[in-house]
Amino acid sequence: MKKYLHILFSFITLVSTAQNTSWPMVKAEMKPASRWWWMGSAVDKTNLLYNISEYAGKGMGGLEITPIYGVQDNDKNDIPYLSGQWMDMYKFTTSQAAKYGIKVDMNNGTGWPFGGPHVTIEDAATKVIFEKYQLEGGKSLGTDIVVTDPKQKTVATLSKLMAYSGKGEKMDLTSKVVGNKLRWVAPSGKWNLIAVFNGKTFQKVKRAAPGGEGYVMNHFSQKAVNNYLSTFTDAFSRSNAPYPNSFFNDSYEVYGADWTPDLFEQFEKRRGYRLQDYLPEFLSENKTDTSSRIISDYRETLGELLLENFTNQWTTWAHSHGSTTRNQAHGSPANLIDIYAAVDIPECESFGISDFHIKGLRVDTIRKINDSDLSMLKYASSAAHITGKPYVSSETFTWLTEHFRTSLSQLKPDLDLLFTSGVNHIFFHGTTYSPKEAAWPGWKFYASADMSPTNSIWRDSQSFFDYVTRCQSFLQEGKPDSDFLLYFPVYDMWYNQDGRLLMFDIHKMQRRAPEFISAVHDIVNSGYDVDYISDKYLLSTKTSAGKLITSGGAGYKAIIVPGADIMPLATLKHLFQLAKEGATVVFLDNYPKDIPGFSNLTQRKEELGKYKKVVCGRTDFKQTNIRTYDKGRIITGSDYSLTLQACDIQHEEMRSRYGLHYIRRANDDGYHYFVSGLHEKDVEEWITLAVNAESVMFFNPLDGTSGLARSRKQGGKTQVFLQLRSGESIIIKTFNKKLSDVPPWNYYEPENTSLVIDQGWKVKFIDSTPAISGEFVLNKLESWTELDQEDLKRNMGTALYSAEMNFPELKADNWQLNLGDVRESARLKINGQDVVTLWSVPFSANVGKYLKQGKNLIEIEVTNLPANRIADYDRRNIEWRIFKEINFVKLNYIKGDFAGWDIMPSGLLGPVILTPLKTIK
């Protein structure tokens, strides 16, 4: 027995110490997932199976069921949400998806936000209504204590009636209101009365599906949320259906909900004083320190109620049924980091398209500028990183261009931006269930990039999906390895922003936190990576060997406080305690000057002053100042670059010097990077890494190739030789030990001569609607819409381009075939052998092993977009907008059709160039 145990332990040791030089083993979560719109929930088992098999066949690994409004004249097939029939379809879906290796998530409602017919008016989203009255001493109020808004009269309930005298007296008169009448005679003097009513927003679920219509629930109420979730518990119990892999909640779009019936009680318990005593200051239009503090306290209270009564309760409920939660916190009034961190899978959202000026990438004339830059995307990933959550998801490709104009090549840059922001589990927005028999373009949801079989880009989407899978296989491996923690100064925002209700939505963050966003970009552009942290999670952060260790086990080299004026004293004390224990703490621009909150303000300010005088010392921030503080350091300064350099942390040249986007993760062998050339320049340089390595490998996520990269030590630092063209991406993996059995990565440079294949092309259509017959012989490459065939100006399809080339001699080490301008994707075949599917810029491939001496046949299948076809439908008034409610608006929700679109170029535009390559020695 001892002999066998010895062999077993030896095997385990061998496996654990072996260097992993292969691609990670693929799991379902590594494949792309998608929001799956069920229009009217009018699904049937035959078409469910058809749709699932199509998705799986292309490489999807997850589907999130979100029912929405239905199709016109299809009411008889609609299935009410959570009904017995709906649950039966859901059960069928989960069983069939499992057979195809697809995991099924489910929205906890229809459309968005959470709500429905089971939400009573009592549990509906609440808004506060104030009514004001004036009284002279010795008089009684002659008017009723009621709301004046006629819509609110039947639903609003009185919460408080407060009286305030000119002498500063405050009286609670709520108990003296009987039957809307105030039974009270005012004492001497002038009195202002403020009545506070619990009103209702009357917001209904947006884009609701049949059976899901109704009021939006009160997210701040523990009781309302519990009642809402019990409906799902009952539905799953009745049907004996399996709970989904994960429950999903969309972005917080609860408009005007700024109150909850027990807010006064909750406020007093949490903030230490009575809000009702300060309603004049709370409602004052003249901003003062007192009013700003009270409003800040109110905002903090709302955030805590949302976190505890909705997010925490929802996640606990899901866990009790074996599911997880996936949540979009943006748009909510709470500290985004705390809300994101409270769920299993934080989810951000890309909203629009970014312009990185990538060489050769088509820029559409119709597009939505991306509201989600790197700084916005990092809230979700930061929350996951500091709490040790393995997945960060994204609602991916919402409103890039118009629905029928988005190509696979246009998707890649914003996908890479998501990856470099920390996302590793994307969900397309989205895929619409559509019956196979539905007339083209099938059932569609207006705001999506449309990942579905009726879109022409579906033909070559498997190569795109494979790219996603390969990237995510690495991005889900190991642990995040960011350099800095960045303090999120939410109290400055709560204190300084105008109004009462403050929502952190993606479209307004530039206004909400301009200094913070600027700090993020300054740090990242300096060659460092950063995760955000809130007061809550900072207080649980510790130190170990000079590093900061968060509650989730993530390690950081320093923490940066970006010019926060207001900070809780407990947070400030903890920062100095961390420095005392060995951490590096950086204050940019200034030490915090003040503390938040109104309760016991004088006493707390005195404590802050004493603490700052004794501990903080120097307040001059004009020059970088390094102060040793026991084992750690306090660094202050107003110059970002000098202050960051003072931290003695190695920056990444990839971003600071070459403009490359990247993210780094730690693994058992060393580290790995995802790197993307999101700029107009090609890179061919020795790049200094911020980590040491004995060997370095490249993994190409586009084609799955890998090899041992050239690396060297220069000045004691590891350098790797990197060739990366504009728009390309690469995975770099470093190893702590020398690798000896890995094939080398091939480096090439072009020879001075090249061959332009510009004549002799034959074109025929292997798939087209309308059908295109015959063969075209081209004297030059141009859009097929320019050919002498009227239907080519309105068709959607795939054309086969073929040309023969005679190569008398092949003397190059390799050959690169560049297709030039491709509209929009291409399958390349040489001499009858499949080479590659090209769907992103640069549209090129190394093809030396496929060429032969003598005659060579080059075949390229090019697929265009559906834009010309749908525009032709509108010009001919073919009715395809068959959807209820919002019936396919244009970009930015503008009504209208696509008849005015210019004809979009299609096909192989070239030039097609074959270039000999020489190995770089």
Side-chain angles (χ1 to χ4, degrees):
M1 175 61 76
K2 290 183 179 179
K3 176 183 178 182
Y4 293 121
L5 286 175
H6 174 74
I7 294 173
L8 175 61
F9 289 140
S10 298
F11 174 75
I12 293 173
T13 302
L14 179 64
V15 171
S16 64
T17 58
Q19 304 285 287
N20 191 347
T21 59
S22 302
W23 287 90
M25 186 176 296
V26 173
K27 301 180 292 186
E29 291 86 354
M30 296 173 178
K31 299 179 179 180
S34 184
R35 183 164 304 168
W36 195 17
W37 305 105
W38 280 14
M39 302 199 78
S41 296
V43 298
D44 63 72
K45 293 182 178 180
T46 299
N47 280 298
L48 282 170
L49 184 56
Y50 159 72
N51 278 261
I52 291 170
S53 63
E54 282 284 328
Y55 307 150
K58 292 296 186 181
M60 281 191 186
L63 292 167
E64 170 220 303
I65 300 171
T66 296
I68 53 168
Y69 55 83
V71 175
Q72 295 173 2
D73 303 320
N74 195 48
D75 299 44
K76 65 180 184 300
N77 295 316
D78 290 347
I79 302 174
Y81 184 56
L82 298 186
S83 65
Q85 186 182 4
W86 195 95
M87 296 303 297
D88 181 54
M89 292 300 172
Y90 164 80
K91 287 173 65 175
F92 179 80
T93 297
T94 56
S95 65
Q96 296 305 309
K99 295 178 182 178
Y100 284 91
I102 290 178
K103 295 197 171 185
V104 176
D105 291 0
M106 175 180 163
N107 192 324
N108 256 126
T110 77
W112 62 92
F114 287 177
H118 45 281
V119 175
T120 64
I121 193 67
E122 180 184 358
D123 285 350
T126 302
K127 65 179 292 185
V128 65
I129 301 169
F130 300 99
E131 299 288 351
K132 297 181 180 181
Y133 313 89
Q134 290 184 335
L135 261 182
E136 296 284 346
K139 293 185 178 180
S140 299
L141 191 65
T143 57
D144 288 353
I145 307 296
V146 294
V147 294
T148 55
D149 184 349
K151 293 188 300 183
Q152 297 283 351
K153 281 187 178 295
T154 59
V155 298
T157 58
L158 181 66
S159 176
K160 288 289 180 185
L161 176 63
M162 297 295 297
Y164 309 89
S165 75
K167 301 176 183 178
E169 299 168 286
K170 306 169 185 180
M171 298 183 66
D172 187 340
L173 305 179
T174 312
S175 62
K176 299 183 183 300
V177 179
V178 181
N180 299 332
K181 298 291 186 181
L182 175 59
R183 310 299 187 188
W184 179 70
V185 177
S188 62
K190 293 184 177 181
W191 292 82
N192 291 313
L193 277 60
I194 301 177
V196 184
F197 290 89
N198 298 312
K200 295 298 171 181
T201 68
F202 297 112
Q203 183 184 348
K204 299 288 186 70
V205 176
K206 294 173 64 177
R207 323 298 184 230
E213 307 94 336
Y215 290 121
V216 170
M217 73 170 180
N218 180 357
H219 287 64
F220 304 122
S221 166
Q222 190 274 336
K223 171 179 161 292
V225 174
N226 180 68
N227 289 344
Y228 183 82
L229 295 174
S230 66
T231 303
F232 290 86
T233 305
D234 293 343
F236 278 90
S237 178
R238 287 194 309 269
S239 62
N240 197 29
Y243 280 81
N245 173 63
S246 190
F247 282 105
F248 171 70
N249 177 50
D250 208 334
S251 55
Y252 187 89
E253 298 181 38
V254 185
Y255 304 123
D258 57 4
W259 207 256
T260 193
D262 66 342
L263 189 133
F264 282 126
E265 292 79 8
Q266 292 292 339
F267 187 97
E268 183 176 1
K269 181 175 73 173
R270 297 163 187 272
R271 306 280 82 84
Y273 66 101
R274 303 190 337 154
L275 176 60
Q276 58 266 37
D277 289 342
Y278 297 92
L279 291 180
E281 293 84 353
F282 183 62
L283 300 177
S284 175
E285 294 182 2
N286 298 319
K287 191 173 182 180
T288 65
D289 179 65
T290 297
S291 65
S292 295
R293 288 180 181 280
I294 293 170
I295 289 172
S296 176
D297 283 342
Y298 157 78
R299 290 168 172 170
E300 185 174 9
T301 301
L302 276 188
E304 290 174 353
L305 292 176
L306 180 67
L307 173 64
E308 296 168 20
N309 291 340
F310 171 63
T311 313
N312 287 347
Q313 184 178 188
W314 174 54
T315 300
T316 299
W317 171 83
H319 289 177
S320 71
H321 298 293
S323 296
T324 58
T325 50
R326 210 177 87 243
N327 182 50
Q328 296 181 4
H330 49 272
S332 76
N335 188 319
L336 292 183
I337 298 168
D338 292 347
I339 299 292
Y340 275 127
V343 298
D344 300 293
I345 307 173
E347 177 163 304
C348 60
E349 174 180 0
S350 65
F351 199 95
I353 192 169
S354 307
D355 188 0
F356 297 104
H357 308 290
I358 291 172
K359 193 184 303 181
L361 179 63
R362 174 174 65 82
V363 178
D364 202 324
T365 56
I366 304 173
R367 59 197 183 119
K368 168 74 177 71
I369 301 302
N370 196 356
D371 287 326
S372 299
D373 71 350
L374 179 140
S375 68
M376 186 67 217
L377 298 172
K378 273 185 165 289
Y379 288 99
S381 59
S382 295
H385 292 170
I386 64 176
T387 57
K389 308 289 171 58
Y391 300 119
V392 181
S393 61
S394 65
E395 177 186 304
T396 311
F397 308 140
T398 307
W399 281 132
L400 276 77
T401 61
E402 291 284 17
H403 197 81
F404 299 90
R405 299 173 67 99
T406 307
S407 67
L408 294 173
S409 64
Q410 290 171 309
L411 299 179
K412 184 179 183 295
D414 278 293
L415 176 66
D416 286 0
L417 175 64
L418 288 167
F419 287 156
T420 58
S421 302
V423 172
N424 61 7
H425 189 33
I426 70 162
F427 280 74
F428 296 135
H429 184 272
T431 301
T432 309
Y433 165 95
S434 187
K436 189 176 183 179
E437 64 273 12
W440 191 86
W443 297 1
K444 297 295 173 195
F445 181 70
Y446 65 94
S448 304
D450 189 25
M451 287 295 176
S452 66
T454 59
N455 191 339
S456 55
I457 68 173
W458 189 254
R459 186 175 194 268
D460 293 329
S461 63
Q462 183 171 347
S463 294
F464 173 59
F465 290 0
D466 288 345
Y467 172 79
V468 173
T469 301
R470 293 188 190 107
C471 291
Q472 294 191 158
S473 72
F474 267 102
L475 291 169
Q476 292 176 13
E477 291 280 293
K479 294 182 178 181
D481 189 52
S482 298
D483 302 296
F484 293 114
L485 282 170
L486 184 67
Y487 174 72
F488 182 55
V490 70
Y491 288 100
D492 285 72
M493 299 175 215
W494 281 338
Y495 178 89
N496 290 314
Q497 299 288 325
D498 293 334
R500 287 198 306 273
L501 182 62
L502 184 66
M503 314 285 273
F504 294 111
D505 63 272
I506 63 175
H507 311 292
K508 298 176 183 176
M509 286 305 289
Q510 186 61 49
R511 281 180 279 164
R512 299 278 186 255
E515 295 87 0
F516 177 77
I517 292 173
S518 177
V520 174
H521 289 295
D522 284 339
I523 294 167
V524 170
N525 290 333
S526 296
Y528 305 98
D529 204 358
V530 64
D531 285 327
Y532 315 155
I533 194 165
S534 65
D535 294 85
K536 175 181 177 179
Y537 288 99
L538 179 54
L539 290 174
S540 61
T541 297
K542 300 178 181 179
T543 61
S544 176
K547 293 187 72 174
L548 292 150
I549 309 297
T550 64
S551 60
Y556 300 86
K557 303 176 184 73
I559 181 168
I560 297 174
V561 180
D565 288 325
I566 302 173
M567 178 183 287
L569 184 57
T571 303
L572 184 61
K573 286 183 174 180
H574 191 65
L575 285 170
F576 279 91
Q577 180 62 32
L578 292 172
K580 187 176 182 180
E581 294 171 359
T584 297
V585 180
V586 181
F587 289 95
L588 293 172
D589 296 327
N590 57 266
Y591 286 121
K593 303 181 182 72
D594 209 341
I595 50 177
F598 182 65
S599 178
N600 299 320
L601 182 58
T602 301
Q603 177 184 340
R604 292 188 299 115
K605 277 196 169 187
E606 288 177 358
E607 187 179 358
L608 172 67
K610 292 177 182 177
Y611 185 79
K612 287 181 67 177
K613 184 176 182 180
V614 173
V615 178
C616 296
R618 183 184 178 111
T619 58
D620 179 11
F621 281 75
K622 293 182 180 179
Q623 296 180 355
T624 300
N625 175 52
I626 303 176
R627 175 183 170 196
T628 302
Y629 193 80
D630 289 359
K631 297 179 182 178
R633 296 181 301 169
I634 300 292
I635 300 176
T636 60
S638 56
D639 186 306
Y640 271 81
S641 59
L642 289 176
T643 308
L644 295 179
Q645 289 174 22
C647 295
D648 296 327
I649 298 173
Q650 177 64 37
H651 69 279
E652 291 289 359
E653 280 192 351
M654 287 184 288
R655 184 61 188 256
S656 61
R657 186 173 179 182
Y658 301 106
L660 299 171
H661 283 62
Y662 77 95
I663 190 167
R664 183 180 66 234
R665 294 178 69 86
N667 60 65
D668 292 339
D669 298 322
Y671 299 86
H672 57 271
Y673 297 77
F674 173 81
V675 183
S676 183
L678 293 177
H679 54 62
E680 71 278 9
K681 298 178 183 178
D682 299 335
V683 173
E684 186 170 339
E685 300 282 350
W686 282 98
I687 306 291
T688 301
L689 301 180
V691 298
N692 287 318
E694 294 301 317
S695 294
V696 181
M697 281 187 68
F698 287 156
F699 294 79
N700 186 348
L702 272 174
D703 60 15
T705 58
S706 62
L708 186 66
R710 292 185 180 179
S711 62
R712 68 186 186 187
K713 290 293 178 67
Q714 194 84 353
K717 297 175 182 177
T718 300
Q719 292 186 330
V720 61
F721 188 62
L722 178 65
Q723 290 179 310
L724 198 69
R725 288 177 291 179
S726 176
E728 288 185 330
S729 49
I730 196 76
I731 293 164
I732 303 174
K733 184 173 182 180
T734 71
F735 294 84
N736 299 323
K737 298 179 181 179
K738 282 283 186 183
L739 299 177
S740 57
D741 56 350
V742 177
W745 184 261
N746 293 316
Y747 293 89
Y748 297 107
E749 62 182 1
E751 301 274 16
N752 292 328
T753 59
S754 59
L755 301 172
V756 179
I757 310 173
D758 56 354
Q759 295 183 348
W761 288 99
K762 298 177 181 179
V763 182
K764 64 180 179 180
F765 284 83
I766 58 178
D767 181 31
S768 177
T769 306
I772 306 296
S773 59
E775 185 175 74
F776 302 85
V777 179
L778 306 183
N779 292 322
K780 64 175 182 177
L781 287 173
E782 60 183 348
S783 170
W784 73 51
T785 61
E786 300 296 322
L787 299 178
D788 188 20
Q789 167 65 263
E790 194 63 27
D791 281 345
L792 288 173
K793 293 176 172 55
R794 61 189 183 96
N795 79 318
M796 177 186 80
T798 301
L800 172 62
Y801 290 72
S802 60
E804 288 187 345
M805 291 295 297
N806 188 45
F807 290 91
E809 201 170 1
L810 298 174
K811 289 186 177 179
D813 295 328
N814 208 331
W815 291 80
Q816 183 183 87
L817 185 66
N818 192 315
L819 304 187
D821 190 358
V822 176
R823 303 297 181 95
E824 298 291 336
S825 59
R827 296 184 185 180
L828 174 62
K829 184 181 292 187
I830 296 179
N831 296 323
Q833 297 183 70
D834 292 327
V835 179
V836 68
T837 297
L838 298 172
W839 56 270
S840 63
V841 295
F843 289 93
S844 64
N846 292 346
V847 298
K849 67 179 180 180
Y850 301 97
L851 296 172
K852 62 183 180 180
Q853 189 171 344
K855 188 177 292 185
N856 288 262
L857 175 63
I858 299 175
E859 296 174 292
I860 308 169
E861 297 177 7
V862 181
T863 301
N864 74 338
L865 292 173
N868 292 339
R869 185 180 180 190
I870 202 69
D872 175 70
Y873 268 37
D874 279 349
R875 284 191 281 269
R876 293 190 290 134
N877 295 316
I878 295 177
E879 187 53 57
W880 61 271
R881 291 174 174 82
I882 57 174
F883 317 110
K884 296 180 180 177
E885 198 186 317
I886 186 165
N887 200 346
F888 233 90
V889 292
K890 298 199 296 183
L891 203 65
N892 296 319
Y893 302 91
I894 299 172
K895 292 184 179 180
D897 60 25
F898 307 139
W901 283 357
D902 293 334
I903 295 172
M904 291 191 71
S906 300
L908 182 62
L909 279 60
V912 177
I913 301 175
L914 189 62
T915 303
L917 301 176
K918 178 175 64 176
T919 301
I920 298 176
K921 304 239 177 165

